[in-house]
Amino acid sequence: MTEFIVVRAQKSDATGLAEIGASTFKETFGAEDDENDPADLAAYLTGAFSAEIQTKEMEQVGSYFLLLYREDKIIGYARLFDCTPPADVQFAVQSAALTQSIELVRFYIIREWQGRGAAGELMKASVMLAQTLGYEALWLGVWQKNPRAIAFYRKWGFEKVGQWTFTLGSDVQTDDLMLRKIEEEGL
């Protein structure tokens, strides 16, 4: 049985990142029964996923991409980014007597590999990367109407610490902000 392999992305991976990012976002948030307007979804995809956009994101200081492979095929990726967190996250980090946090900006697994251990492997690698880089906490925003993702993040020790808005095209949505303390024994 072939194992999952996680590697750091290179600039040459930008096209693959854009393709998997757009396809997984669309299959997750663009289903016919979903409440997202197709025009808003299309606008978001155009503004968020292209080889040029992913290359610029990779060039940003404090930006880290992990690729998840299975049988020589990219089946998922994560992006971590060292940025100033929103006030709710800052408060939670300080309340926990921590100082350094990093955002898990994207966490995507193609549908056929969801529920088969792939997400756990990618999350483990994301937490380990954050820890190796010296961060004490990992935070993220997740759409309130994505219960499967919220359940997965809770399983991995993330707790809700606040909310913020996310704009999909012209639709302003509410995301839960979640935080996880990084501890070796938590892997």
Side-chain angles (χ1 to χ4, degrees):
M1 184 170 142
T2 306
E3 300 289 325
F4 295 108
I5 298 170
V6 180
V7 299
R8 293 272 298 269
Q10 306 296 318
K11 287 182 185 178
S12 60
D13 296 313
T15 298
L17 284 169
E19 290 171 358
I20 195 167
S23 68
T24 54
F25 195 93
K26 185 175 182 178
E27 64 187 22
T28 302
F29 302 109
E32 287 182 23
D33 60 340
D34 197 55
E35 60 186 74
N36 289 320
D37 182 285
D40 286 330
L41 182 67
Y44 178 78
L45 294 174
T46 299
F49 299 108
S50 71
E52 294 78 23
I53 291 168
Q54 271 54 66
T55 298
K56 286 179 183 176
E57 288 179 349
M58 281 191 264
E59 292 172 344
Q60 288 181 293
V61 174
S63 186
Y64 308 91
F65 283 82
L66 296 173
L67 299 176
L68 178 66
Y69 282 89
R70 179 73 184 244
E71 299 173 358
D72 299 325
K73 178 183 174 190
I74 298 173
I75 62 167
Y77 84 90
R79 178 182 182 217
L80 286 76
F81 185 49
D82 183 353
C83 60
T84 301
D88 289 344
V89 172
Q90 287 180 8
F91 179 77
V93 167
Q94 291 168 353
S95 295
L98 305 173
T99 57
Q100 299 294 317
S101 68
I102 190 166
E103 181 182 9
L104 182 58
V105 179
R106 294 197 184 112
F107 191 86
Y108 298 146
I109 303 291
I110 62 173
R111 182 167 283 155
E112 73 181 88
W113 285 99
Q114 293 175 3
R116 298 172 65 188
E121 288 297 314
L122 187 57
M123 182 59 75
K124 182 178 178 180
S126 298
V127 172
M128 289 174 55
L129 175 60
Q131 183 179 42
T132 300
L133 294 169
Y135 295 96
E136 300 167 306
L138 191 60
W139 66 275
L140 56 86
V142 58
W143 191 27
Q144 290 180 329
K145 296 180 182 178
N146 190 349
R148 184 177 181 163
I150 292 169
F152 173 78
Y153 295 135
R154 285 186 194 278
K155 178 181 169 186
W156 274 88
F158 286 87
E159 296 178 7
K160 181 178 174 181
V161 297
Q163 296 177 333
W164 71 356
T165 58
F166 175 83
T167 304
L168 183 76
S170 62
D171 184 25
V172 179
Q173 302 177 350
T174 303
D175 282 2
D176 287 341
L177 292 169
M178 300 183 82
L179 178 74
R180 179 198 198 278
K181 185 176 178 183
I182 298 173
E183 300 170 310
E184 267 189 71
E185 62 274 6
L187 300 178

